[in-house]
C-alpha cells in the first residue's frame, strides 16, 4: 500500500510548488509576530513633563527621557501631584494614550497577560479546529479574524477595552502560528522539513515590526498597518491547497488527486497514477484508524518513568528559554539610550542567527550544541550585570557622558549576544524535542512542551522590572535560569544520528495502558519479551 512519501517522491519533494507555497504562507506568520511583539512597543514610556507653573522648575531636569526612571519614587511623587502632565511629542503608545505610568503601570502587565492567555488558548483551539475544517481554512480564517480585531484595537477608547481586544488578537496569533508553520511541511520530505524548521520566519517578523515601529511611532497606525498587511496575505488563499492527509482522511480522493497533479505540473514531474493516489488515501485512513484506537492522553506522559523524565526536563528547558527570550525582547525599555535604535538593533540582529546555528548543527551533537549556545547566553547575561555595576557613573553628570555612552554600547552589545545565543539554542532544542520522544506520544509531548513555552512567554516580560536601575538584577536572574537550562539539557540523552523511535521503550508504560483497545486489533505487534511496542511499517502512528 502506497504512503504519502511515495506520492511526494513522484510529484517532487522540493521544487517550484514548495518554494511558492512557503513564500505565500510565511507572510501570515510574519504579520502574526507583529501581534505577539506589539506590547514591546506599546509599553514604551517616551517621558513626560509637568506643565504646572509651580512645578516647572522641578521638572526641567526630567524633561528628557523620563521613561528611563519614570517609575522611581521621586518622579512618581511629582506625577501624582501634577495637574497637567504632558507626554513628550513624537511617540504615541498605549502608555501615552491612557497615562499608564506610576500607580497605573500595573495595567500594562494586565494587557500583556490577557494577550498571552489568548495566544495559549488560540494555539490549542485552532489546532483542534484544523482537524475538523482543515488547516488551510483554519489559517486563513484566523488571518481574516486577525485583520478585523486589529481594526477594532485601533478604535479602542480605554485600556480596559484595549485589553479585551488584545485577548482576541492573542487567539488569532496563537492560531496562525500553530497552523502557518505546519502547512508547508505537509508537502515535502523529512529532510526538507528540517530545513524549513530553521527558516528565520520569526526573526523576519520581529525585524520588520521594529522597522514599522521606528517609522510610524504610533500604536494606532501599527494596528491599522497590521490589518492592511494581513489582508494582503489573504490574496493567495485561492491557490493554497489543503493538506493531503486531511483530504484523504475525509474521503476527498478526487481533491487529493487534483493536488498531486498540480504539484507534479509545477515541479515538472510525471503525473501520478490514480492507483497510487487512491492507495495513499486508503493508507492515510487506515493510519488514522490505528492512531485513534491507540490514542494517548496527557496523563500517559507521566505514567512511565522514562517518558516522564524526558517530558519534565524538555518542558522545563523550553519554559526557561522562553522566559529568557521574551524577557530580553520585552524589556528593551529598560535599556539606556534611544528606544527605537535599541529596539531596531535587538530585532534586526535576530536575522543572522541561522548563520551561527546551521554550521554548528553539522558537527555538534544536540546536547553539546544546545549547551554551547546557552553558555554564551549565560556569559552575556552575567556580563550585563558586571558592566552595570562596574562601568559608568551618574547619567546626569556631564563629565561622565563619554563613559556612560561606552557603558550603554557594551550593555546593548551583550544583550544582542544573549538574544542571538538564545535563538541559536532554540533551533537546537526544537530539533532535540522532536527527536527525543517516541512516535506514539511525540505529538502529545510536543504540544505539552509548546504550552509551557507560551506560559514562559507570559511570565518573562512581567517578571522582570523595566527600570534601568534594576536591569542588572533582571539579567542576573536570566543568567541563573540559563545555567539551569544547561544542567537540564545535560540530563537528556543524545539523539543526533539515532533513528526516530516508533516504540515505547518501557514495558511499564504499556502495562498501564490496559484500558486501551487490544493492539493486535489495530495491526500492531507486541513483543512482551522485549517490552516493546512495534508498529507495522505502513500502519505506524506518525507524528
Amino acid at each position: 500500500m502506497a504512503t504519502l512519501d511515495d506520492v511526494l517522491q513522484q510529484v517532487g519533494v522540493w521544487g517550484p510548488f514548495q518554494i511558492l507555497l512557503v513564500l505565500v504562507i510565511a507572510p501570515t506568520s510574519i504579520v502574526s509576530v507583529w501581534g505577539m511583539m506589539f506590547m514591546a512597543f506599546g509599553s514604551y514610556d517616551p517621558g513626560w513633563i509637568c506643565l504646572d507653573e509651580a512645578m516647572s522648575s522641578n521638572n526641567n531636569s526630567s524633561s528628557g527621557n523620563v521613561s528611563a526612571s519614570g517609575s522611581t519614587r521621586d518622579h512618581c511623587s511629582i506625577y501624582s501631584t501634577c495637574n497637567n502632565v504632558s507626554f513628550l511629542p513624537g511617540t504615541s503608545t498605549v502608555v501615552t494614550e491612557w497615562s499608564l505610568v506610576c500607580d497605573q503601570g500595573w495595567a500594562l502587565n494586565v494587557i500583556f497577560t490577557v494577550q498571552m492567555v489568548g495566544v495559549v488558548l488560540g494555539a490549542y483551539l485552532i489546532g483542534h479546529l484544523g482537524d475538523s475544517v482543515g488547516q488551510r481554512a483554519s489559517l486563513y480564517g484566523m488571518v481574516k479574524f486577525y485583520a478585523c480585531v486589529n481594526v477594532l484595537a485601533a478604535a479602542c477608547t480605554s485600556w480596559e477595552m484595549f485589553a479585551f481586544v488584545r485577548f482576541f488578537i492573542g487567539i488569532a496569533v496563537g492560531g496562525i502560528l500553530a497552523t502557518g508553520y505546519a502547512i508547508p511541511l505537509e508537502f515535502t520530505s523529512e529532510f526538507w522539513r528540517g530545513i524549513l524548521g530553521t527558516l528565520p520566519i520569526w526573526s523576519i517578523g520581529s525585524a520588520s515590526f521594529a522597522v514599522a515601529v521606528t517609522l510610524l511611532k504610533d500604536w494606532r497606525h501599527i494596528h491599522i498597518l497590521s490589518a492592511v498587511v494581513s489582508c494582503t496575505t489573504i490574496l493567495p488563499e485561492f491557490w493554497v491547497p489543503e493538506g493531503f492527509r486531511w483530504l484523504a482522511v475525509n474521503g476527498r480522493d478526487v481533491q487529493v488527486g487534483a493536488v498531486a497533479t498540480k504539484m507534479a505540473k509545477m515541479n515538472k514531474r510525471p503525473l501520478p497514477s490514480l492507483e497510487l493516489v487512491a492507495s495513499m488515501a486508503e493508507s492515510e485512513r487506515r493510519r488514522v484508524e490505528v492512531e485513534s484506537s491507540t490514542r494517548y492522553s496527557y496523563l500517559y506522559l507521566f505514567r512511565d518513568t522514562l517518558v516522564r523524565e524526558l517530558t519534565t526536563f524538555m518542558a522545563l528547558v523550553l519554559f526557561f528559554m522562553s522566559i529568557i527570550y521574551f524577557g530580553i525582547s520585552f524589556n528593551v525599555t529598560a535599556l539606556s539610550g534611544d528606544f527605537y535604535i535599541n529596539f531596531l538593533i535587538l530585532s534586526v540582529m535576530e536575522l543572522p542567527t541561522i548563520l551561527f546555528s546551521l554550521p554548528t548543527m553539522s558537527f555538534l551533537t544536540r546536547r553539546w550544541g544546545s549547551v554551547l549556545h546557552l553558555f554564551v547566553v549565560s556569559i552575556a547575561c552575567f556580563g550585563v550585570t558586571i558592566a552595570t555595576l562596574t562601568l559608568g557613573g551618574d547619567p546626569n553628570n556631564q563629565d561622565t557622558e563619554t563613559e556612560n555612552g561606552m557603558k550603554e554600547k557594551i550593555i546593548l552589545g551583550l544583550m544582542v549576544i544573549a538574544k542571538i545565543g538564545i535563538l541559536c539554542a532554540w533551533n537546537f532544542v526544537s530539533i532535540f524535542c522532536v527527536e527525543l520522544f517516541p512516535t506514539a506520544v511525540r505529538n502529545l509531548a510536543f504540544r505539552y512542551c509548546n504550552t509551557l513555552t507560551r506560559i514562559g512567554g507570559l511570565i518573562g516580560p512581567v517578571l522582570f522590572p523595566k527600570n534601568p536601575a534594576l536591569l542588572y538584577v533582571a539579567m542576573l536572574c536570566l543568567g541563573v535560569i540559563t545555567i539551569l537550562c544547561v544542567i537540564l539539557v545535560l540530563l537528556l540523552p543524545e539523539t543526533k544520528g539515532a533513528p526516530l523511535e516508533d516504540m515505547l521503550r518501557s514495558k511499564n508504560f504499556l502495562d498501564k495502558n490496559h484500558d486501551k483497545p487490544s493492539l493486535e486489533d489495530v495491526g500492531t505487534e507486541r513483543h512482551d519479551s522485549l517490552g516493546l511496542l512495534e508498529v507495522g511499517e505502513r500502519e505506524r502512528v506518525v507524528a
Side-chain angles (χ1 to χ4, degrees):
M1 185 173 291
T3 65
L4 177 58
D5 287 337
D6 295 328
V7 175
L8 289 174
Q9 288 296 332
Q10 183 166 344
V11 300
V13 296
W14 187 255
F17 174 85
Q18 285 84 358
I19 294 173
L20 183 58
L21 183 64
V22 171
L23 291 177
V24 300
I25 292 291
T28 63
S29 296
I30 289 172
V31 74
S32 70
V33 175
W34 291 23
M36 190 77 158
M37 299 298 296
F38 175 83
M39 287 305 294
F41 164 69
S43 60
Y44 171 50
D45 172 11
W48 49 267
I49 58 174
C50 179
L51 300 180
D52 293 354
E53 291 183 0
M55 300 290 294
S56 60
S57 60
N58 296 327
N59 290 319
N60 288 333
S61 62
S62 63
S63 60
N65 187 11
V66 181
S67 62
S69 55
S71 60
T72 62
R73 181 177 301 175
D74 291 341
H75 283 103
C76 285
S77 63
I78 296 173
Y79 181 85
S80 62
T81 58
C82 185
N83 296 318
N84 190 5
V85 173
S86 176
F87 285 89
L88 300 181
T91 293
S92 177
T93 68
V94 176
V95 172
T96 65
E97 184 69 24
W98 294 295
S99 300
L100 302 182
V101 296
C102 294
D103 59 345
Q104 290 294 310
W106 58 269
L108 296 172
N109 288 339
V110 172
I111 295 171
F112 180 79
T113 301
V114 167
Q115 171 186 313
M116 291 303 295
V117 170
V119 171
V120 175
L121 187 61
Y124 177 80
L125 293 178
I126 305 306
H128 287 278
L129 181 64
D131 295 336
S132 301
V133 302
Q135 289 184 328
R136 172 181 172 274
S138 298
L139 173 64
Y140 284 103
M142 281 296 98
V143 173
K144 295 169 186 175
F145 180 66
Y146 179 73
C148 293
V149 290
N150 267 285
V151 174
L152 289 177
C156 287
T157 56
S158 67
W159 75 261
E160 294 88 352
M161 179 181 177
F162 183 73
F164 179 76
V165 176
R166 291 301 302 182
F167 171 74
F168 292 101
I169 288 179
I171 289 180
V173 168
I176 294 171
L177 291 177
T179 54
Y181 283 100
I183 289 180
L185 303 183
E186 290 248 356
F187 298 94
T188 189
S189 63
E190 182 178 347
F191 170 79
W192 285 103
R193 288 173 199 144
I195 298 298
L196 291 178
T198 63
L199 292 180
I201 293 177
W202 178 279
S203 299
I204 293 174
S206 180
S208 59
F209 176 70
V211 172
V213 163
T214 303
L215 294 176
L216 297 179
K217 301 181 180 180
D218 189 298
W219 71 276
R220 294 187 190 271
H221 294 167
I222 292 294
H223 278 297
I224 294 298
L225 181 61
S226 297
V228 171
V229 175
S230 298
C231 290
T232 62
T233 65
I234 299 171
L235 298 179
E237 179 183 5
F238 71 95
W239 178 84
V240 176
E242 187 54 78
F244 275 126
R245 288 188 174 93
W246 188 86
L247 292 173
V249 170
N250 286 273
R252 304 186 182 184
D253 293 6
V254 174
Q255 294 183 38
V256 173
V259 173
T261 300
K262 181 178 183 179
M263 291 178 62
K265 289 181 178 179
M266 289 194 65
N267 290 337
K268 295 180 172 51
R269 300 294 294 270
L271 297 181
S273 66
L274 295 179
E275 292 78 8
L276 179 66
V277 173
S279 178
M280 182 275 292
E282 179 61 26
S283 175
E284 286 300 310
R285 283 190 283 270
R286 293 184 62 182
R287 181 191 65 83
V288 171
E289 290 177 4
V290 172
E291 188 177 43
S292 60
S293 60
T294 57
R295 190 177 299 276
Y296 295 97
S297 69
Y298 286 102
L299 293 177
Y300 287 88
L301 294 175
F302 300 95
R303 284 190 175 182
D304 175 73
T305 302
L306 173 64
V307 179
R308 180 171 62 248
E309 290 179 355
L310 297 180
T311 303
T312 302
F313 294 160
M314 180 55 72
L316 285 175
V317 168
L318 288 169
F319 172 73
F320 288 142
M321 287 177 62
S322 183
I323 290 178
I324 297 167
Y325 174 80
F326 286 104
I328 294 173
S329 298
F330 280 82
N331 285 296
V332 63
T333 54
L335 296 175
S336 300
D338 186 87
F339 166 81
Y340 295 103
I341 293 178
N342 293 339
F343 191 35
L344 193 61
I345 291 175
L346 278 174
S347 300
V348 172
M349 287 305 295
E350 291 187 21
L351 292 175
T353 299
I354 192 172
L355 300 178
F356 296 96
S357 58
L358 278 182
T360 53
M361 281 184 185
S362 62
F363 62 86
L364 287 178
T365 63
R366 305 296 184 235
R367 284 202 311 166
W368 290 109
S370 302
V371 166
L372 172 64
H373 294 299
L374 288 170
F375 182 72
V376 171
V377 175
S378 66
I379 294 299
C381 290
F382 291 135
V384 172
T385 301
I386 295 172
T388 303
L389 296 176
T390 60
L391 298 179
D394 184 3
N396 296 319
N397 188 344
Q398 294 182 355
D399 294 335
T400 61
E401 182 177 351
T402 302
E403 193 174 354
N404 288 330
M406 180 61 66
K407 175 182 175 181
E408 292 174 3
K409 293 177 181 178
I410 291 174
I411 291 177
L412 179 60
L414 290 171
M415 294 283 280
V416 169
I417 292 173
K419 198 170 187 183
I420 291 177
I422 197 64
L423 286 172
C424 289
W426 201 293
N427 288 337
F428 269 89
V429 173
S430 296
I431 299 175
F432 203 174
C433 184
V434 172
E435 296 175 343
L436 197 61
F437 296 96
T439 300
V441 294
R442 186 173 297 129
N443 274 344
L444 281 177
F446 190 80
R447 289 177 182 176
Y448 176 79
C449 292
N450 189 58
T451 300
L452 266 292
T453 300
R454 300 302 183 196
I455 295 175
L458 188 155
I459 294 174
V462 177
L463 187 62
F464 300 105
K466 295 179 174 60
N467 191 338
L470 299 176
L471 176 64
Y472 74 97
V473 177
M475 298 307 294
L476 179 62
C477 292
L478 291 182
V480 173
I481 291 174
T482 307
I483 296 300
L484 290 177
C485 286
V486 170
I487 296 173
L488 290 169
V489 168
L490 290 175
L491 293 175
L492 294 170
E494 183 54 56
T495 61
K496 184 178 181 180
L500 294 180
E501 293 194 28
D502 295 320
M503 56 192 70
L504 300 173
R505 293 179 290 175
S506 172
K507 186 173 183 296
N508 180 47
F509 187 96
L510 297 172
D511 290 340
K512 292 184 178 181
N513 193 24
H514 57 81
D515 56 330
K516 296 293 179 182
S518 172
L519 295 173
E520 286 80 359
D521 294 339
V522 293
T524 61
E525 180 179 353
R526 178 163 175 192
H527 299 273
D528 289 317
S529 60
L530 299 176
L532 302 176
L533 172 65
E534 189 174 287
V535 184
E537 178 65 21
R538 298 304 186 186
E539 299 176 343
R540 64 187 180 185
V541 183
V542 296

